Amino acid sequence: MPLDPWPDDTDKSEWETHWGDPEHDLPRVPSTDTDEDDADPELVQTFWRSVLLANVAVFALALGPMLIYFRGQWSLGAAAIGLGAITGLRVYQHCRAFGSDEATDDDPADERNA
């Protein structure tokens, strides 16, 4: 007794008429050959510092309440929450300081007053 094919077990030509050819239907995006060296070193340093501090903040802010709730370790949990809050504030400060430096460097009003 032959088995009926699954609905998605069709011939490739039937599949292409139903779904199209995704390899040729997608729009082409122009390639941009950029190196990491093309970026501003200060921007790269600020980005990676912020990524590292944000990871520490998220980890500590997640670990602190779990230590308190599951293990009853209030002092260690509170220290982790404090560390997470401080590192989160440092990320915010890094981003604000970098943004304000960029705004003052590119501000056309400063050029008119000079």
Side-chain angles (χ1 to χ4, degrees):
M1 174 164 110
L3 296 174
D4 292 333
W6 287 89
D8 57 346
D9 283 345
T10 59
D11 188 27
K12 185 174 178 165
S13 62
E14 291 176 22
W15 180 80
E16 285 181 352
T17 58
H18 182 69
W19 295 103
D21 189 7
E23 293 178 4
H24 298 291
D25 294 343
L26 292 175
R28 299 285 179 218
V29 178
S31 65
T32 56
D33 296 328
T34 58
D35 291 332
E36 189 175 314
D37 299 333
D38 292 343
D40 180 26
E42 184 182 357
L43 176 66
V44 172
Q45 183 182 13
T46 302
F47 171 76
W48 286 115
R49 183 181 297 135
S50 298
V51 167
L52 178 67
L53 289 175
N55 284 332
V56 170
V58 168
F59 177 74
L61 287 172
L63 181 65
M66 287 192 286
L67 286 172
I68 293 170
Y69 183 76
F70 292 117
R71 299 187 132 201
Q73 296 177 340
W74 283 89
S75 59
L76 193 57
I81 291 171
L83 175 69
I86 290 170
T87 54
L89 287 173
R90 286 298 294 160
V91 170
Y92 178 74
Q93 289 174 345
H94 277 296
C95 293
R96 290 286 298 216
F98 185 78
S100 66
D101 289 345
E102 289 293 313
T104 56
D105 291 345
D106 296 334
D107 193 8
D110 290 340
E111 293 173 4
R112 281 183 272 151
N113 294 335

mmCIF file of all heavy atoms in Angstrom, residues 70-94:
data_model
loop_
_atom_site.group_PDB
_atom_site.id
_atom_site.type_symbol
_atom_site.label_atom_id
_atom_site.label_comp_id
_atom_site.label_asym_id
_atom_site.label_seq_id
_atom_site.Cartn_x
_atom_site.Cartn_y
_atom_site.Cartn_z
ATOM 1 N N PHE A 70 16.487 32.825 47.427
ATOM 2 C CA PHE A 70 16.676 31.383 47.493
ATOM 3 C C PHE A 70 17.597 30.937 48.623
ATOM 4 O O PHE A 70 17.423 29.853 49.173
ATOM 5 C CB PHE A 70 17.238 30.854 46.160
ATOM 6 C CG PHE A 70 16.260 30.949 45.033
ATOM 7 C CD1 PHE A 70 16.534 31.747 43.935
ATOM 8 C CD2 PHE A 70 15.061 30.259 45.053
ATOM 9 C CE1 PHE A 70 15.639 31.845 42.886
ATOM 10 C CE2 PHE A 70 14.163 30.343 44.017
ATOM 11 C CZ PHE A 70 14.446 31.137 42.925
ATOM 12 N N ARG A 71 18.594 31.737 48.962
ATOM 13 C CA ARG A 71 19.560 31.307 49.960
ATOM 14 C C ARG A 71 19.493 32.117 51.249
ATOM 15 O O ARG A 71 20.151 31.775 52.218
ATOM 16 C CB ARG A 71 20.970 31.381 49.391
ATOM 17 C CG ARG A 71 21.136 30.471 48.196
ATOM 18 C CD ARG A 71 22.540 30.429 47.758
ATOM 19 N NE ARG A 71 22.893 29.028 47.573
ATOM 20 C CZ ARG A 71 24.102 28.566 47.576
ATOM 21 N NH1 ARG A 71 25.114 29.378 47.797
ATOM 22 N NH2 ARG A 71 24.342 27.309 47.380
ATOM 23 N N GLY A 72 18.771 33.206 51.249
ATOM 24 C CA GLY A 72 18.671 34.023 52.441
ATOM 25 C C GLY A 72 19.946 34.777 52.763
ATOM 26 O O GLY A 72 20.132 35.221 53.897
ATOM 27 N N GLN A 73 20.803 34.943 51.805
ATOM 28 C CA GLN A 73 22.068 35.657 52.019
ATOM 29 C C GLN A 73 21.860 37.145 51.720
ATOM 30 O O GLN A 73 22.156 37.637 50.644
ATOM 31 C CB GLN A 73 23.171 35.066 51.125
ATOM 32 C CG GLN A 73 23.488 33.637 51.455
ATOM 33 C CD GLN A 73 24.522 33.045 50.518
ATOM 34 O OE1 GLN A 73 24.749 33.544 49.429
ATOM 35 N NE2 GLN A 73 25.153 31.963 50.954
ATOM 36 N N TRP A 74 21.365 37.837 52.720
ATOM 37 C CA TRP A 74 20.998 39.232 52.551
ATOM 38 C C TRP A 74 22.205 40.129 52.291
ATOM 39 O O TRP A 74 22.143 41.020 51.447
ATOM 40 C CB TRP A 74 20.246 39.723 53.795
ATOM 41 C CG TRP A 74 18.822 39.232 53.797
ATOM 42 C CD1 TRP A 74 18.361 38.070 54.306
ATOM 43 C CD2 TRP A 74 17.710 39.904 53.220
ATOM 44 N NE1 TRP A 74 17.016 37.960 54.092
ATOM 45 C CE2 TRP A 74 16.585 39.091 53.439
ATOM 46 C CE3 TRP A 74 17.547 41.116 52.561
ATOM 47 C CZ2 TRP A 74 15.314 39.435 52.998
ATOM 48 C CZ3 TRP A 74 16.281 41.465 52.134
ATOM 49 C CH2 TRP A 74 15.189 40.632 52.356
ATOM 50 N N SER A 75 23.267 39.936 53.002
ATOM 51 C CA SER A 75 24.411 40.833 52.839
ATOM 52 C C SER A 75 25.062 40.647 51.467
ATOM 53 O O SER A 75 25.398 41.629 50.786
ATOM 54 C CB SER A 75 25.439 40.609 53.945
ATOM 55 O OG SER A 75 25.901 39.274 53.938
ATOM 56 N N LEU A 76 25.253 39.409 51.047
ATOM 57 C CA LEU A 76 25.854 39.163 49.736
ATOM 58 C C LEU A 76 24.915 39.594 48.606
ATOM 59 O O LEU A 76 25.346 40.170 47.599
ATOM 60 C CB LEU A 76 26.216 37.681 49.604
ATOM 61 C CG LEU A 76 27.115 37.293 48.448
ATOM 62 C CD1 LEU A 76 28.427 38.065 48.504
ATOM 63 C CD2 LEU A 76 27.383 35.797 48.486
ATOM 64 N N GLY A 77 23.636 39.336 48.781
ATOM 65 C CA GLY A 77 22.652 39.745 47.773
ATOM 66 C C GLY A 77 22.563 41.254 47.652
ATOM 67 O O GLY A 77 22.495 41.796 46.546
ATOM 68 N N ALA A 78 22.582 41.931 48.794
ATOM 69 C CA ALA A 78 22.533 43.401 48.760
ATOM 70 C C ALA A 78 23.802 43.968 48.131
ATOM 71 O O ALA A 78 23.745 44.958 47.385
ATOM 72 C CB ALA A 78 22.345 43.944 50.171
ATOM 73 N N ALA A 79 24.948 43.349 48.405
ATOM 74 C CA ALA A 79 26.194 43.805 47.788
ATOM 75 C C ALA A 79 26.150 43.617 46.278
ATOM 76 O O ALA A 79 26.613 44.480 45.514
ATOM 77 C CB ALA A 79 27.379 43.047 48.387
ATOM 78 N N ALA A 80 25.586 42.503 45.816
ATOM 79 C CA ALA A 80 25.473 42.269 44.376
ATOM 80 C C ALA A 80 24.533 43.282 43.736
ATOM 81 O O ALA A 80 24.813 43.805 42.644
ATOM 82 C CB ALA A 80 24.990 40.846 44.111
ATOM 83 N N ILE A 81 23.426 43.580 44.400
ATOM 84 C CA ILE A 81 22.497 44.579 43.876
ATOM 85 C C ILE A 81 23.173 45.946 43.833
ATOM 86 O O ILE A 81 23.033 46.697 42.855
ATOM 87 C CB ILE A 81 21.200 44.612 44.716
ATOM 88 C CG1 ILE A 81 20.410 43.321 44.510
ATOM 89 C CG2 ILE A 81 20.340 45.821 44.345
ATOM 90 C CD1 ILE A 81 19.234 43.163 45.438
ATOM 91 N N GLY A 82 23.909 46.292 44.865
ATOM 92 C CA GLY A 82 24.636 47.561 44.874
ATOM 93 C C GLY A 82 25.675 47.639 43.766
ATOM 94 O O GLY A 82 25.814 48.661 43.090
ATOM 95 N N LEU A 83 26.423 46.546 43.565
ATOM 96 C CA LEU A 83 27.409 46.506 42.485
ATOM 97 C C LEU A 83 26.732 46.671 41.132
ATOM 98 O O LEU A 83 27.206 47.410 40.267
ATOM 99 C CB LEU A 83 28.182 45.186 42.526
ATOM 100 C CG LEU A 83 29.166 44.951 41.381
ATOM 101 C CD1 LEU A 83 30.342 45.921 41.496
ATOM 102 C CD2 LEU A 83 29.641 43.512 41.383
ATOM 103 N N GLY A 84 25.603 46.005 40.942
ATOM 104 C CA GLY A 84 24.868 46.126 39.686
ATOM 105 C C GLY A 84 24.359 47.529 39.448
ATOM 106 O O GLY A 84 24.418 48.050 38.329
ATOM 107 N N ALA A 85 23.865 48.160 40.510
ATOM 108 C CA ALA A 85 23.369 49.531 40.368
ATOM 109 C C ALA A 85 24.506 50.506 40.043
ATOM 110 O O ALA A 85 24.367 51.379 39.185
ATOM 111 C CB ALA A 85 22.652 49.957 41.652
ATOM 112 N N ILE A 86 25.635 50.332 40.716
ATOM 113 C CA ILE A 86 26.782 51.230 40.469
ATOM 114 C C ILE A 86 27.315 51.053 39.054
ATOM 115 O O ILE A 86 27.578 52.027 38.351
ATOM 116 C CB ILE A 86 27.879 50.986 41.522
ATOM 117 C CG1 ILE A 86 27.407 51.498 42.875
ATOM 118 C CG2 ILE A 86 29.184 51.655 41.119
ATOM 119 C CD1 ILE A 86 28.292 51.102 44.035
ATOM 120 N N THR A 87 27.466 49.807 38.597
ATOM 121 C CA THR A 87 27.977 49.601 37.242
ATOM 122 C C THR A 87 26.966 50.060 36.197
ATOM 123 O O THR A 87 27.347 50.554 35.141
ATOM 124 C CB THR A 87 28.373 48.134 36.999
ATOM 125 O OG1 THR A 87 27.264 47.289 37.308
ATOM 126 C CG2 THR A 87 29.573 47.746 37.829
ATOM 127 N N GLY A 88 25.687 49.915 36.484
ATOM 128 C CA GLY A 88 24.668 50.437 35.568
ATOM 129 C C GLY A 88 24.743 51.949 35.453
ATOM 130 O O GLY A 88 24.615 52.514 34.354
ATOM 131 N N LEU A 89 24.964 52.614 36.580
ATOM 132 C CA LEU A 89 25.127 54.076 36.543
ATOM 133 C C LEU A 89 26.387 54.486 35.786
ATOM 134 O O LEU A 89 26.399 55.497 35.087
ATOM 135 C CB LEU A 89 25.161 54.634 37.966
ATOM 136 C CG LEU A 89 23.822 54.654 38.691
ATOM 137 C CD1 LEU A 89 24.018 55.073 40.144
ATOM 138 C CD2 LEU A 89 22.851 55.585 37.997
ATOM 139 N N ARG A 90 27.453 53.698 35.911
ATOM 140 C CA ARG A 90 28.684 54.004 35.168
ATOM 141 C C ARG A 90 28.472 53.870 33.659
ATOM 142 O O ARG A 90 29.006 54.657 32.884
ATOM 143 C CB ARG A 90 29.825 53.079 35.612
ATOM 144 C CG ARG A 90 30.384 53.406 36.968
ATOM 145 C CD ARG A 90 30.992 54.792 37.030
ATOM 146 N NE ARG A 90 32.175 54.874 36.179
ATOM 147 C CZ ARG A 90 32.692 56.012 35.718
ATOM 148 N NH1 ARG A 90 32.127 57.149 36.011
ATOM 149 N NH2 ARG A 90 33.757 55.998 34.969
ATOM 150 N N VAL A 91 27.693 52.882 33.242
ATOM 151 C CA VAL A 91 27.375 52.755 31.817
ATOM 152 C C VAL A 91 26.631 53.999 31.355
ATOM 153 O O VAL A 91 26.943 54.580 30.310
ATOM 154 C CB VAL A 91 26.538 51.485 31.540
ATOM 155 C CG1 VAL A 91 26.006 51.479 30.117
ATOM 156 C CG2 VAL A 91 27.350 50.239 31.798
ATOM 157 N N TYR A 92 25.670 54.415 32.138
ATOM 158 C CA TYR A 92 24.907 55.613 31.806
ATOM 159 C C TYR A 92 25.829 56.833 31.723
ATOM 160 O O TYR A 92 25.729 57.638 30.801
ATOM 161 C CB TYR A 92 23.811 55.829 32.853
ATOM 162 C CG TYR A 92 22.994 57.068 32.628
ATOM 163 C CD1 TYR A 92 22.059 57.120 31.617
ATOM 164 C CD2 TYR A 92 23.161 58.191 33.431
ATOM 165 C CE1 TYR A 92 21.307 58.266 31.405
ATOM 166 C CE2 TYR A 92 22.429 59.330 33.226
ATOM 167 C CZ TYR A 92 21.498 59.362 32.214
ATOM 168 O OH TYR A 92 20.762 60.499 31.995
ATOM 169 N N GLN A 93 26.733 56.964 32.688
ATOM 170 C CA GLN A 93 27.664 58.092 32.679
ATOM 171 C C GLN A 93 28.602 58.057 31.475
ATOM 172 O O GLN A 93 28.876 59.091 30.872
ATOM 173 C CB GLN A 93 28.484 58.117 33.968
ATOM 174 C CG GLN A 93 27.693 58.513 35.181
ATOM 175 C CD GLN A 93 28.507 58.392 36.460
ATOM 176 O OE1 GLN A 93 29.565 57.755 36.476
ATOM 177 N NE2 GLN A 93 28.004 58.991 37.526
ATOM 178 N N HIS A 94 29.082 56.872 31.111
ATOM 179 C CA HIS A 94 29.957 56.753 29.937
ATOM 180 C C HIS A 94 29.223 57.199 28.677
ATOM 181 O O HIS A 94 29.773 57.944 27.863
ATOM 182 C CB HIS A 94 30.435 55.310 29.749
ATOM 183 C CG HIS A 94 31.602 54.939 30.586
ATOM 184 N ND1 HIS A 94 32.832 55.516 30.454
ATOM 185 C CD2 HIS A 94 31.733 54.017 31.569
ATOM 186 C CE1 HIS A 94 33.661 54.981 31.316
ATOM 187 N NE2 HIS A 94 33.015 54.072 32.014
#
